[in-house]
Amino acid sequence: MKIDIHTHIMPAAMPNWTQKFGYGEFIHLEHRDPVATGCDACMMKGDKVFRVVEENCYKADVRLKQMDETEVSIQVLSTIPVIFNYWAKPTDGLETSRFFKDHIEETVAKEHTHFIGLGTVPMQNSNLAIREMERCIKELKMPGLEIGSNINGRNLGDPEFFPFYEAAEKLGCALFVHPWE
């Protein structure tokens, strides 16, 4: 059995949170004519192309086909780090993390023999992060979370994060630390 633990996924459609919240450069996805633009799907940061993504980034059926081709049995799905949105206002970070986490949970529910999901939480506010971690573990039945290697320039060893780690330990929540900025 092959398990790929480092596989990022995003929804095929995302709100334009920059417009909704009225600030920042939240990532959103735009689908375009690949012949005319050179990209089928572009991750947009504001009005600029941040990264071109392929269908396997947002279509589970394409991902499953590739898994068969490469003999991967299970993928552990997690959010693309640029959409952690740790820089956002905490309540807006909560909204975006819930959106991405709920998408991962829906993808896992449809193909639970092939996918395991990791959630993401608004680490810029430990209390919100703990509450959302509880939701991930207790309600969504996720085994853990993906977090960035620093939060707005603060190292993960900052005592501010200790209550979060204590709560993770009590919940039996695995933490996948992804390099970030």
Side-chain angles (χ1 to χ4, degrees):
M1 175 184 285
K2 287 186 196 174
I3 300 174
D4 186 348
I5 191 166
H6 191 180
T7 58
H8 298 303
I9 192 168
M10 64 193 308
M14 289 189 257
N16 185 327
W17 284 295
T18 300
Q19 290 176 355
K20 178 178 181 179
F21 299 142
Y23 72 96
E25 291 185 321
F26 292 87
I27 297 290
H28 66 280
L29 193 63
E30 288 185 6
H31 297 274
R32 298 178 172 188
D33 175 5
V35 175
T37 64
C39 77
D40 176 51
C42 300
M43 290 175 69
M44 304 297 292
K45 189 173 187 175
D47 62 351
K48 295 181 177 59
V49 174
F50 173 76
R51 183 181 300 152
V52 175
V53 294
E54 298 177 11
E55 289 181 317
N56 64 352
C57 195
Y58 57 88
K59 286 187 176 179
D61 61 328
V62 172
R63 185 176 288 259
L64 289 166
K65 183 176 182 274
Q66 290 177 336
M67 288 171 65
D68 284 342
E69 292 168 356
T70 58
E71 299 178 357
V72 170
S73 307
I74 297 173
Q75 285 187 345
V76 179
L77 306 177
S78 58
T79 299
I80 299 168
V82 73
I83 54 181
F84 285 151
N85 297 328
Y86 292 154
W87 55 268
K89 294 175 186 174
T91 55
D92 298 341
L94 175 63
E95 181 176 325
T96 63
S97 72
R98 277 185 166 230
F99 180 83
F100 296 122
K101 183 173 34 271
D102 290 349
H103 168 258
I104 289 172
E105 190 277 330
E106 289 169 14
T107 304
V108 170
K110 290 176 187 171
E111 291 290 343
H112 65 276
T113 59
H114 297 291
F115 299 133
I116 296 170
L118 295 178
T120 185
V121 295
M123 290 295 294
Q124 63 268 51
N125 181 294
S126 291
N127 291 330
L128 285 178
I130 291 168
R131 284 200 329 253
E132 193 59 14
M133 174 174 47
E134 290 172 348
R135 178 177 170 262
C136 285
I137 302 302
K138 293 178 180 178
E139 291 177 34
L140 302 180
K141 306 297 184 203
M142 292 179 160
L145 303 174
E146 173 196 29
I147 63 172
S149 56
N150 79 78
I151 314 303
N152 294 328
R154 291 187 317 249
N155 188 294
L156 293 179
D158 189 310
E160 176 184 341
F161 301 117
F162 291 0
F164 173 81
Y165 302 138
E166 290 167 6
E169 183 178 18
K170 285 179 187 173
L171 289 167
C173 177
L175 296 177
F176 169 45
V177 179
H178 195 290
W180 178 241
E181 297 189 339

